[in-house]
């Protein structure tokens, strides 16, 4: 037996659901959903399937589309639970054909005046250079559903598959339908036809087609994206069907299994240079208290696909081995996939870029406060965050007092854990009261709390920290006084804390840690707030 290589999961940690993967010219590329944050559709690259670099974001201009309708709603499930569902950009499919990269995806838009009224916008974007971060404007096409996918046949004909909405109030909610598309214009070249109702016929979503050995294999995610999630498959000799459902479905699920990685489903099958099959799937790392860790993340698993047979996906593990092959070993040695500056920066919906200014090679960030805060259901607010990629670690920042706003200015600035407008927590300095404020809010459960702490007037500087552990968050401050002091205030003091489950839910996204500045009056909107050395670090890189 040859040597083996160890792989570690998740391959993309923290808020990285619905992975779609392609292999082009020795590099694996992966795209995920982004929902209500901007820029959208993050793109990751790897040479060896072990180390992934965030190389760009396909939706990086507000001129491409608006996210104002990307609301977050609390919705009941037929399992007796409820979910916190963020709208916006969902379930991308990444494809490559004859020198062009494509992403097809769905933008789910909520009517502000009637949250029960949603519209669905399906489109694709393209680029000839995926490294350039220069993607086209959307090309829209009509499809009454979500999770649209793209398949190119051997004759260059292009087909769209997707979850065609039947109803929202009861199962089955979806069936898989297909039409042929003009990939230049987005115009349909055929009628839209149902090709598969699914195996479980429960939230049949996320379809992808693969042509192997003369068969068209149609894979879909079913069971809902939570505890009953699964991957199932069917095949046909004709792209239009009929599709034969495999008798040993599902090909992957954690439902009813004692697994650390749960809710496994929606994903992609792909091959490496040696022709071996792999799967990238979403899952959550379920903690001992039942919380969902960092939300839905991207996991890697080997696939067994015998010639002439059906594929099965091995259960994802935090660590696993597979026989070493030349292409992946060589790829690891030659890796140089450095991420571009600030590629991890995230904003809420349609941010105002003029309110943010970097200096000092990114160490200094100056912002103008917004009147809207993190709870706004449709507007943006002054917030710059990054996905939390670790279970144990911290986000830290220094608030610059060189241009302190003064007591007459109604400005609050600090560090926040943000999931959506329904759920967030923060530690901040309040310029008007010269005090520290800790706030936590989860409007889906009725949780709302505030803690204030007065601090001395002789304050010279202030550091803020959100310290993360798998089951708990601590919101802390470290005071720098004009005159040296001794005692507890010389180090980190806890302003507030919460259990992770306080903001946990069956949801689509994951925690984002970031800086913010909000003003309660017009005068405060003109006060520039400066942050220094904002960074996120896993525990092994912390200096306590």
């Amino acid at each position: 037996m040859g040597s083996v290589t160890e792989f570690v999961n998740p391959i993309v940690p923290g808020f990285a659901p619905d992975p779609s993967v392609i292999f082009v010219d020795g590099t694996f590329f992966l795209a995920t959903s982004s929902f209500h944050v901007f820029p959208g559709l993050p793109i990751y690259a790897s040479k060896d399937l072990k180390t992934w670099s965030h190389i760009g974001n396909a939706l990086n201009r507000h001129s491409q589309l608006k996210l104002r309708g990307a609301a977050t709603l609390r919705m009941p499930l037929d399992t007796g639970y409820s979910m916190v569902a963020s709208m916006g950009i969902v379930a991308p499919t990444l494809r490559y054909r004859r020198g062009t990269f494509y992403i097809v995806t769905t933008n789910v838009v909520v009517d502000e005046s009637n949250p029960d009224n949603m519209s669905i916008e399906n489109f694709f974007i393209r680029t000839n250079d995926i490294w350039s971060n220069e993607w086209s404007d959307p090309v829209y096409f009509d499809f009454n559903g979500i999770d649209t996918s793209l398949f190119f046949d051997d004759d260059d004909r292009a087909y769209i598959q997707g979850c065609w909405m039947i109803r929202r109030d009861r199962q089955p909610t979806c069936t898989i339908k297909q039409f042929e598309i003009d990939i230049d214009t987005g115009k349909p070249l055929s009628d839209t036809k149902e090709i598969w109702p699914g195996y479980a016929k429960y939230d049949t979503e996320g379809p992808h087609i693969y042509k192997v050995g003369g068969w068209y294999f149609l894979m879909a995610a079913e069971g809902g994206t939570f505890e009953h999630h699964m991957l199932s498959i069917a095949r046909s000799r004709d792209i239009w069907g009929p599709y034969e459902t495999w008798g040993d479905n599902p090909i992957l699920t954690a439902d009813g299994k004692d697994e650390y990685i749960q809710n496994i489903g929606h994903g992609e099958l792909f091959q490496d240079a040696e022709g071996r099959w792999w799967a990238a799937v979403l899952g959550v790392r379920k903690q001992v208290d039942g919380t969902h860790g960092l939300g839905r993340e991207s996991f890697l698993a080997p696939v067994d696909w015998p010639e002439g047979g059906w594929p099965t996906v091995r259960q994802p593990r935090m660590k696993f081995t597979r026989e070493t092959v030349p292409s992946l070993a060589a790829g690891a040695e030659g890796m140089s996939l450095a991420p571009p500056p600030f590629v991890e920066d995230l904003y809420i919906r349609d941010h105002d870029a003029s309110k943010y200014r970097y200096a000092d090679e990114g160490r200094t960030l100056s912002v103008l406060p917004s009147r809207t805060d993190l709870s706004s259901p449709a507007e943006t607010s002054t917030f710059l965050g990054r996905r939390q990629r670790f279970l144990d670690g911290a986000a830290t920042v220094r608030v610059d007092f060189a241009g302190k706003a003064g007591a007459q200015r109604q400005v609050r600035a600090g560090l926040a854990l943000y999931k959506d407008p329904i759920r967030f927590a923060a530690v901040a300095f309040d310029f008007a009261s010269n005090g520290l404020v800790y706030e936590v809010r989860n409007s889906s459960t009725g949780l709302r709390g505030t803690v204030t702490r007065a601090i001395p007037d002789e304050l010279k500087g202030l550091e803020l920290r959100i310290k993360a552990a798998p089951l708990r968050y601590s919101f802390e401050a470290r005071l720098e006084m004009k005159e040296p002091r001794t005692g507890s205030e010389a180090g980190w003091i806890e302003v507030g804390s919460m259990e992770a489950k306080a903001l946990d839910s069956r949801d689509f996204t994951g925690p984002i840690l970031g800086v913010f500045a909000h003003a309660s009056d017009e005068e405060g909107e003109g006060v520039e707030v400066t942050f220094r050395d904002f960074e996120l670090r896993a525990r092994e890189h912390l200096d306590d």
Side-chain angles (χ1 to χ4, degrees):
M1 182 178 177
S3 61
V4 296
T5 300
E6 183 177 73
F7 297 87
V8 178
N9 272 314
I11 52 172
V12 184
F15 187 3
D18 310 323
S20 180
V21 181
I22 57 174
F23 180 60
V24 180
D25 295 335
T27 302
F28 301 91
F29 298 98
L30 183 154
T32 71
S33 299
S34 52
F35 299 97
H36 62 300
V37 297
F38 178 87
L41 295 177
I43 308 293
Y44 304 88
S46 176
K47 294 287 188 180
D48 61 0
L49 292 177
K50 296 195 297 183
T51 303
W52 293 81
S53 178
H54 187 174
I55 65 166
N57 302 285
L59 294 175
N60 52 62
R61 309 183 306 275
H62 288 312
S63 60
Q64 287 173 294
L65 86 170
K66 302 300 182 184
L67 290 172
R68 182 181 175 87
T72 300
L73 307 174
R74 184 175 182 269
M75 303 172 67
L77 298 171
D78 57 9
T79 57
Y81 299 100
S82 62
M83 68 176 174
V84 175
S86 294
M87 304 297 118
I89 305 301
V90 303
T93 296
L94 180 59
R95 291 291 180 261
Y96 176 80
R97 187 69 167 180
R98 302 193 184 281
T100 301
F101 293 85
Y102 299 85
I103 296 178
V104 58
T105 189
T106 310
N107 183 22
V108 182
V109 181
V110 177
D111 185 343
E112 287 180 62
S113 61
N114 181 11
D116 292 329
N117 185 22
M118 297 183 193
S119 61
I120 297 172
E121 301 173 348
N122 283 284
F123 63 89
F124 62 84
I125 54 177
R126 54 196 163 198
T127 183
N128 294 327
D129 182 2
I130 198 170
W131 303 98
S132 70
N133 213 28
E134 295 176 358
W135 290 79
S136 71
D137 287 338
V139 177
Y140 291 92
F141 57 87
D142 290 331
F143 188 84
N144 180 38
I146 61 172
D147 293 13
T148 42
S149 182
L150 176 63
F151 174 76
F152 289 99
D153 211 341
D154 300 334
D155 58 5
D156 281 339
R157 289 186 173 183
Y159 300 85
I160 295 289
Q161 303 81 37
C163 159
W164 183 272
M165 304 297 293
I166 302 174
R167 54 180 65 90
R168 293 176 184 162
D169 57 336
R170 58 190 173 91
Q171 297 293 340
T173 58
C174 288
T175 185
I176 304 303
K177 289 194 176 186
Q178 174 178 270
F179 71 94
E180 185 179 352
I181 190 171
D182 183 327
I183 200 59
D184 293 321
T185 66
K187 295 187 180 302
L189 300 178
S190 73
D191 293 335
T192 300
K193 175 185 175 183
E194 179 180 317
I195 57 173
W196 192 42
Y199 155 71
K201 299 180 178 61
Y202 185 110
D203 287 351
T204 305
E205 302 170 341
H208 294 309
I209 285 183
Y210 311 95
K211 192 174 185 179
V212 179
W215 291 95
Y216 295 90
F217 287 84
L218 172 56
M219 184 180 74
E222 297 194 85
T225 192
F226 305 116
E227 59 268 39
H228 304 308
H229 209 192
M230 68 182 76
L231 285 175
S232 57
I233 200 161
R235 72 181 182 183
S236 173
R237 287 292 187 182
D238 189 298
I239 193 168
W240 290 105
Y243 280 84
E244 169 199 0
T245 302
W246 192 31
D248 286 341
N249 272 319
I251 60 173
L252 177 68
T253 188
D255 191 10
K257 300 178 181 179
D258 185 19
E259 297 284 345
Y260 175 53
I261 305 171
Q262 286 287 335
N263 299 9
I264 303 166
H266 196 126
E268 183 84 82
L269 305 181
F270 61 97
Q271 291 177 282
D272 60 24
E274 276 72 26
R276 297 186 306 175
W277 285 92
W278 302 81
V281 299
L282 75 76
V284 300
R285 286 179 276 175
K286 201 162 188 177
Q287 306 304 303
V288 294
D289 63 348
T291 55
H292 295 81
L294 302 182
R296 304 186 304 169
E297 306 172 279
S298 291
F299 294 84
L300 181 70
V303 173
D304 300 309
W305 200 332
E307 185 174 353
W310 298 80
T312 56
V313 184
R314 301 183 205 174
Q315 208 74 28
R317 300 279 186 260
M318 292 302 291
K319 293 183 179 180
F320 67 91
T321 60
R322 200 173 192 186
E323 184 178 358
T324 302
V325 294
S327 66
L328 295 189
E333 293 171 2
M335 275 194 70
S336 57
L337 303 179
F342 315 122
V343 70
E344 287 277 321
D345 288 358
L346 291 175
Y347 307 90
I348 299 171
R349 303 184 199 92
D350 305 320
H351 83 300
D352 181 352
S354 68
K355 288 182 176 288
Y356 304 82
R357 179 171 55 86
Y358 273 115
D360 191 21
E361 297 182 336
R363 291 192 59 190
T364 301
L365 172 65
S366 298
V367 303
L368 291 174
S370 59
R371 294 282 292 275
T372 54
D373 62 19
L374 298 177
S375 67
S376 174
E379 301 288 347
T380 189
S381 68
T382 297
F383 172 86
L384 185 151
R386 294 162 191 160
R387 292 172 177 86
Q388 182 184 330
R389 304 288 194 185
F390 46 75
L391 285 170
D392 284 281
T396 56
V397 73
R398 175 183 290 272
V399 182
D400 189 354
F401 278 81
K404 184 177 175 181
Q408 76 278 15
R409 304 289 175 84
Q410 302 298 312
V411 175
R412 184 175 291 183
L415 198 56
L417 162 62
Y418 175 83
K419 289 192 172 182
D420 47 54
I422 291 177
R423 301 167 301 152
F424 56 87
V427 58
F429 179 75
D430 188 277
F431 286 95
S433 64
N434 197 55
L436 293 171
V437 179
Y438 163 70
E439 179 184 15
V440 59
R441 188 181 303 184
N442 185 345
S443 59
S444 70
T445 63
L447 172 65
R448 184 164 188 168
T450 303
V451 174
T452 60
R453 182 183 181 116
I455 56 178
D457 289 334
E458 59 269 24
L459 187 66
K460 177 182 177 182
L462 173 67
E463 287 182 84
L464 299 174
R465 178 169 75 176
I466 299 178
K467 201 169 183 179
L471 306 182
R472 184 178 182 272
Y473 287 92
S474 177
F475 297 77
E476 303 171 346
R478 182 157 61 187
L479 312 179
E480 182 183 351
M481 313 307 296
K482 294 178 181 177
E483 298 295 331
R485 297 175 59 136
T486 60
S488 62
E489 291 185 343
W492 290 103
I493 56 175
E494 186 173 89
V495 185
S497 67
M498 68 173 196
E499 294 181 333
K501 65 182 179 182
L503 300 186
D504 194 66
S505 178
R506 284 169 168 77
D507 61 18
F508 294 165
T509 60
I512 300 169
L513 300 171
V515 297
F516 70 92
H518 300 147
S520 59
D521 59 18
E522 185 176 352
E523 187 179 26
E525 289 183 285
V527 176
E528 189 173 77
V529 177
T530 300
F531 299 99
R532 299 192 189 278
D533 299 323
F534 168 52
E535 58 183 358
L536 277 63
R537 289 187 180 183
R539 180 171 295 279
E540 58 265 30
H541 303 297
L542 288 179
D543 298 320
D544 275 317

